[in-house]
Amino acid sequence: MKKIAAFILFIGVLDSISAQSTLTLDSCRALALSNNKELRISAEKITAAHYEKKAAFTNYLPKIAAIGTYMRTQKEISLLSDEQKGVISQIGTTAQGSIQETFQQLAASNPELAQILQPLAPLIPGIGNALNKVGQGLVDALRTDTRNMYAGAVTLTQPIFMGGKIVAYNKITQYAEQLAESQHATGMQDIILNTDQAYWQVISLINKKKLAQSYLQLVSQLDSDVDKMITEGVATKADGLSVKVKVNEAEMKLTQIDNGLSLSKMVLCQLCGLPLNDEIRLADEDVESLTLPEYHVGDNVATALANREELRSLDLANKIYDQKVNITRAGFLPTVALTANYMVTNPSLVNGFERKFRGMWAVGAMVQIPIWNWGEGMYKVKAAKAEANIARYQLADAKEKVELQVSQASYKVNEAAKRLSMAEKNLEKADENLRYAKLGFMEGVIPTSNVLEAQTAWLSAQSDKIDAQIDVKLTEVYLRKSMGVLK
């Protein structure tokens, strides 16, 4: 959704640019924010952290897994040895021999009993055969036939207590998402700051170009006047050469400003995602004066401590390290989980060895208790606590630096305002000085060198005023950035 909104914003800004052909500071900011690749990367990091948080929550829920296997073996598992198989399968023959031997002994010891047992003798071979069949059936029944084995299971595992690891990991992913959002906000402020710097740099060079053109016009007019005066014999050739040197310097200065302006516009276009050679016009090109809002250092520091995304990022990192201590400790605490599964095998074991798929369910609990690890857990927990302390020290150090940064930015704002006021007063004096120098030169009471000095002073005063105006605007931006309210 954020990507769609950014794309719509980008298209809207482009439409407004094509319709108006003038870029305001806000439109430059919007273009830079929608075009910057690093911001897109940080937005994707937010998305990744969001899904990591969702994935971490699933650790509270039961996991279901299925497994299946097939195995072909060279030989089958045998519960009876070959000798035992032979004995059991011939159990009738063995019994038949024993019965016949017993009958013979009885007949020899008691002739009368022999007559009674004589009718039973023909039945003995049948009994032997019957017992042989029973023995053979028992041998066959005990055959496992495990050369082809199939097995499958569906298992459910529900964590009950994992030493606090799941809770800590969920908190870490929550903080990680907030950290990604904070870093994204920091990146946006950096892009806005860079865009403002590039924008006001272009404005500064545009005004300096106008100033250079005005100065070139002044010295060119003076050069023309001096040439006429040389012709009339009221000025020397040295005066003319001095003026021509100033004309050449003014032309060179104008060329340098033109080149710098072209490069600065390229930088601004690159930030805004526009073609580098686009001819752009800025809304503040004709700015004459800038207003400076009032700020109070105490309030600014309090605002910065509450709003700076860097401090918020460090605070979140501190919380993440605290939870890492819990995760490290959880690795050496008892764990409890419930399990339930349904198993299917072939051959099946629930009704003897059958070549059929049969299954059964089972439930249970699993408990793991670390007994002795030679102090490994204690050492790792202490190491994790040391890392958490480092994060806290970094946060405290950053707060001190932010307070100093805001104080310095506030002083620079006040200093820039004073510089602008002084530059305006100096410009008034330079204008007056140049006016008197021109009048004196036309009356012939002031030499050419004095006029050149007055023009140079006027140029310096105009340039100082432009620099002071831009400095006022940029120091305001720096202050808002240091307070975390640059948007």
Side-chain angles (χ1 to χ4, degrees), residues 16 60 62 90 126 144 146 158 161 208 227 264 270 300 305 325 332 335 353 361 368 370 452 476:
S16 64
Y60 287 113
Q90 297 298 321
T144 60
T146 54
Q158 172 62 61
F161 177 73
K208 286 187 176 182
D227 285 341
S264 297
Q270 189 274 330
N300 292 340
L305 294 178
V325 174
F332 301 92
T335 58
F353 280 87
W361 59 266
Q368 180 179 355
L452 292 175
E476 177 189 343

Side-chain angles (χ1 to χ4, degrees), residues 83-137:
E83 182 181 354
Q84 290 172 332
K85 291 178 182 179
V87 171
I88 295 174
S89 62
Q90 297 298 321
I91 189 173
T93 302
T94 303
Q96 180 181 345
S98 298
I99 293 173
Q100 288 177 344
E101 183 179 353
T102 301
F103 276 15
Q104 290 175 0
Q105 292 175 356
L106 291 174
S109 62
N110 192 343
E112 295 179 358
L113 186 58
Q115 293 179 356
I116 297 174
L117 295 176
Q118 186 66 32
L120 297 176
L123 299 177
I124 293 176
I127 294 174
N129 292 334
L131 289 176
N132 284 339
K133 290 181 180 180
V134 172
Q136 186 61 44

Side-chain angles (χ1 to χ4, degrees), residues 41-57:
I41 292 173
S42 62
E44 291 298 332
K45 288 182 179 179
I46 294 175
T47 302
H50 175 72
Y51 288 114
E52 285 288 344
K53 184 180 73 172
K54 285 183 173 293
F57 181 78

Side-chain angles (χ1 to χ4, degrees), residues 404-445:
L404 176 61
Q405 186 181 35
V406 173
S407 298
Q408 290 176 338
S410 297
Y411 287 129
K412 287 182 179 180
V413 167
N414 296 330
E415 181 184 353
K418 293 177 181 178
R419 283 182 55 199
L420 179 58
S421 177
M422 295 173 61
E424 289 174 344
K425 292 179 180 179
N426 191 31
L427 180 60
E428 291 177 2
K429 295 177 182 179
D431 284 337
E432 187 70 11
N433 182 40
L434 180 60
R435 187 173 68 83
Y436 279 116
K438 286 181 178 179
L439 289 175
F441 178 75
M442 297 303 296
E443 296 294 331
V445 295

